Amino acid sequence: MFSIKKINIDSKKILFLGYGAVAKCVWNYFDYYFDYNINNVYIVDKYEESIYGPKLDKINEKNIIILNVRSFNFDKLISDIGLNIGDIVIDLTYASNTYYFITKCLDLGLNYINTSIEDCND
């Protein structure tokens, strides 16, 4: 049987921006590909009713944040969480300030991935 070698990101903080259908799928498969510290996982969504699905009971309640992330509050969010060089931002939002998020993450040395480059200014 073929097995995939997991990537160890145990020391990295992981920020999920948006917790809709795509995020739920991504989070559900995380265990297959990564060794990580569950205490370093943060989920942010603008709608409280979006916060449901697999494995959420394992995430510290303080690591689940209800916030409409925009360019004017993104800096404070990453500062409050304490993201540092090498930490991971998984942007699963839509019609947000994507270009600002990309620029900020590059400036700070954060690893950034987005499922669709869809900036609200397009």
Side-chain angles (χ1 to χ4, degrees), residues 1 10 19 22 29-30 37 40 47-48 50 53 67 71-72 74 77 80 91 95 100 104 114 120 122:
M1 180 175 181
D10 194 54
Y19 200 69
V22 175
Y29 285 98
F30 235 64
N37 182 341
N40 288 338
Y47 302 114
E48 188 170 357
S50 291
L67 178 69
S71 59
F72 63 83
F74 184 70
L77 172 67
D80 288 350
D91 186 350
Y100 181 82
K104 192 62 173 183
N114 190 310
C120 63
D122 284 351

Side-chain angles (χ1 to χ4, degrees), residues 39-121:
N39 295 317
N40 288 338
V41 174
Y42 295 82
I43 293 175
V44 177
D45 197 275
K46 60 183 168 183
Y47 302 114
E48 188 170 357
E49 51 274 6
S50 291
I51 308 298
Y52 67 90
K55 302 188 302 180
L56 284 181
D57 58 326
K58 298 177 182 177
I59 295 178
N60 193 325
E61 192 175 313
K62 73 174 180 61
N63 291 12
I64 298 175
I65 302 163
I66 306 304
L67 178 69
N68 185 5
V69 181
R70 310 300 291 175
S71 59
F72 63 83
N73 61 11
F74 184 70
D75 296 13
K76 182 174 180 345
L77 172 67
I78 59 177
S79 174
D80 288 350
I81 290 172
L83 294 184
N84 292 303
I85 294 172
D87 287 338
I88 301 163
V89 177
I90 303 171
D91 186 350
L92 302 158
T93 61
Y94 63 93
S96 59
N97 300 114
T98 303
Y99 299 137
Y100 181 82
F101 300 163
I102 291 169
T103 302
K104 192 62 173 183
C105 288
L106 283 171
D107 289 345
L108 296 174
L110 302 175
N111 294 300
Y112 177 91
I113 189 166
N114 190 310
T115 54
S116 67
I117 302 299
E118 182 182 273
D119 193 274
C120 63
N121 292 319

